[in-house]
Amino acid sequence: RAAGGPSAGNTSMDLGALFGGSSAPARLLIERDQFVLDGQNFTVRAGCVHYFRVHPDLWEDRLARIAALGLNAVQTYVPWNYHQAWNASSLGPARVDLDSPSRDLPRFLRLAHGLGLRVVLRPGPYVCGEFEFGGLPAWLLRDGPIELRTDAEPYMGHVERWWGELLPRLRREGLMLDDGGPVMLVQIENEYGHFGDVSEVEADRRYLERLADLARRHLGDGAQLFTSDPDDLAKLTRGTLSPSASRLGSEVLTTVDSCDVPEDAWAAQRSFNPPGRSPFFCSELWVGWFAHWGEPARPNLAAQRARDVAERLRRVLAVNGGTGSVSLYMAHGGTSFGWWAGANTADGMYLPDTPSYD
């Protein structure tokens, strides 16, 4: 039993009754710069928990804590490499694993649903998240360098096969919002403005459009698709499917992260969405920070950030007459088990991340 919290055992029935999960079909719409769910204005108040950084016996405990915080949704990445390893026997990609205990994403989503939580799903295919290779399988490079994260083969062929396993599974198991499930928002790629440029490179624009088309083909029209980029105009220009850049500009919502100045972040977001279709969504409000091996300890970081985050959260929620939406990154960080921790670079230096993501 975790101190001060529910046990990690089989508590689904009790917790579901306590938090009031529902299975009624619903639809998330956008009207007058607000999310609308079942005809009522809806504010997303999400917390990030990565199921792959939490032992599966503790998934329900961590999700219950999200609900106990007063949040109404959980946000998670889906790292491709975690679900599809290399098969040394066949010398090819292994079968996609969505069933073994630590990789049973459908179970994680059902647990969230049973606790009354909606889901913001971030299936990549690149996710970053300080995870090994940003969630891309290392076997993509087994035969030498290839173009990644753009409309090029063989990369896109592999992506289509991966999403062709993942996304239909969510639909078959009734996990999408319009099927009575919890998944209401689905992110396309991740902070693409750091890497590509849809405004200048046609293959990059086609890449995001193909991902959006794939998501629509497999998931239907029930999920609201979105992109997420830092809240500066240059990265938003490079990373979003705005109406001026893409035929899908009115279908894929542009959102922002960081949100140091929430009012300015919403102004930037609005400039990349059609009029009236830009509910403010700070898709990552950073409440902590990861650490690299060899960095000095920062014992007072949590207390310092708590004061800053509390004020920024208040301002985020106050945007647009109190309709601002947010996702706390992270609500619970967990652990990058084994060799799954990623790395960063700065000034030519390789900076490996520690296993702790708290």
Side-chain angles (χ1 to χ4, degrees):
R1 182 183 298 269
S7 71
N10 184 15
T11 57
S12 300
M13 184 177 297
D14 292 338
L15 291 177
L18 175 63
F19 292 106
S22 170
S23 59
R27 186 77 182 271
L28 185 70
L29 304 174
I30 296 174
E31 298 175 0
R32 302 180 304 280
D33 287 333
Q34 297 180 40
F35 288 118
V36 176
L37 183 64
D38 286 343
Q40 302 294 320
N41 291 343
F42 181 77
T43 299
V44 179
R45 298 189 177 184
C48 294
V49 176
H50 296 157
Y51 61 94
F52 46 91
R53 285 186 163 119
V54 178
H55 192 284
D57 286 352
L58 294 172
W59 285 352
E60 189 168 29
D61 174 86
R62 301 307 188 258
L63 291 168
R65 294 169 188 266
I66 294 290
L69 279 171
L71 302 177
N72 58 20
V74 61
Q75 178 171 289
T76 187
Y77 287 126
V78 183
W80 179 4
N81 55 3
Y82 191 68
H83 290 277
Q84 191 174 32
W86 179 259
N87 188 322
S89 298
S90 66
L91 297 181
R95 294 183 61 183
V96 170
D97 182 0
L98 292 166
D99 297 292
S100 61
S102 63
R103 291 165 171 79
D104 192 348
L105 174 62
R107 173 176 174 264
F108 180 81
L109 301 180
R110 287 193 297 270
L111 288 171
H113 195 203
L115 294 169
L117 296 170
R118 306 292 186 183
V119 173
V120 180
L121 198 67
R122 313 174 85 184
Y126 175 85
V127 301
C128 185
E130 290 67 54
F131 203 68
E132 165 64 19
F133 203 12
L136 296 177
W139 51 256
L140 288 171
L141 305 180
R142 184 175 177 85
D143 295 325
I146 65 170
E147 288 188 88
L148 300 170
R149 302 180 69 191
T150 192
D151 185 19
E153 297 298 339
Y155 172 70
M156 281 305 299
H158 290 300
V159 169
E160 290 194 357
R161 286 186 286 275
W162 156 233
W163 272 18
E165 294 279 347
L166 170 66
L167 301 185
R169 177 74 176 270
L170 303 180
R171 199 67 199 253
R172 287 197 306 271
E173 298 207 14
L175 293 167
M176 302 307 298
L177 189 66
D178 57 337
D179 291 325
V183 180
M184 64 177 177
L185 285 154
V186 177
Q187 183 175 316
I188 302 299
E189 248 279 345
N190 188 69
E191 293 185 331
Y192 193 62
H194 276 300
F195 180 84
D197 189 349
V198 301
S199 67
E200 296 288 343
V201 182
E202 184 178 352
D204 291 350
R205 176 185 54 77
R206 290 198 313 266
Y207 171 55
L208 292 193
E209 289 178 341
R210 283 185 68 178
L211 292 179
D213 288 339
L214 277 172
R216 280 279 176 256
R217 182 194 314 165
H218 293 306
L219 300 177
D221 297 329
Q224 174 62 56
L225 306 181
F226 73 101
T227 58
S228 177
D229 282 278
D231 57 5
D232 72 77
L233 295 178
K235 290 186 176 65
L236 286 166
T237 298
R238 294 194 293 267
T240 67
L241 293 176
S242 66
S244 62
S246 170
R247 59 181 172 82
L248 298 177
S250 62
E251 297 182 30
V252 180
L253 172 68
T254 293
T255 73
V256 292
D257 59 36
S258 179
C259 312
D260 287 336
V261 182
E263 300 81 3
D264 292 347
W266 187 43
Q269 179 189 317
R270 287 202 313 274
S271 66
F272 289 86
N273 289 309
R277 292 192 51 79
S278 192
F280 181 47
F281 183 21
C282 183
S283 55
E284 290 185 12
L285 182 66
W286 301 327
V287 302
W289 204 246
F290 52 89
H292 300 118
W293 287 106
E295 288 181 342
R298 296 172 288 179
N300 298 319
L301 178 64
Q304 294 167 355
R305 289 193 70 89
R307 293 189 293 270
D308 171 60
V309 168
E311 174 58 20
R312 276 196 293 142
L313 177 60
R314 183 193 66 77
R315 290 173 63 183
V316 166
L317 297 177
V319 167
N320 193 23
T323 65
S325 289
V326 68
S327 184
L328 304 179
Y329 193 98
M330 299 288 295
H332 172 67
T335 301
S336 300
F337 300 107
W339 301 103
W340 287 115
N344 306 92
T345 59
D347 299 324
M349 294 181 61
Y350 177 72
L351 304 172
D353 301 317
T354 64
S356 173
Y357 205 56
D358 288 326

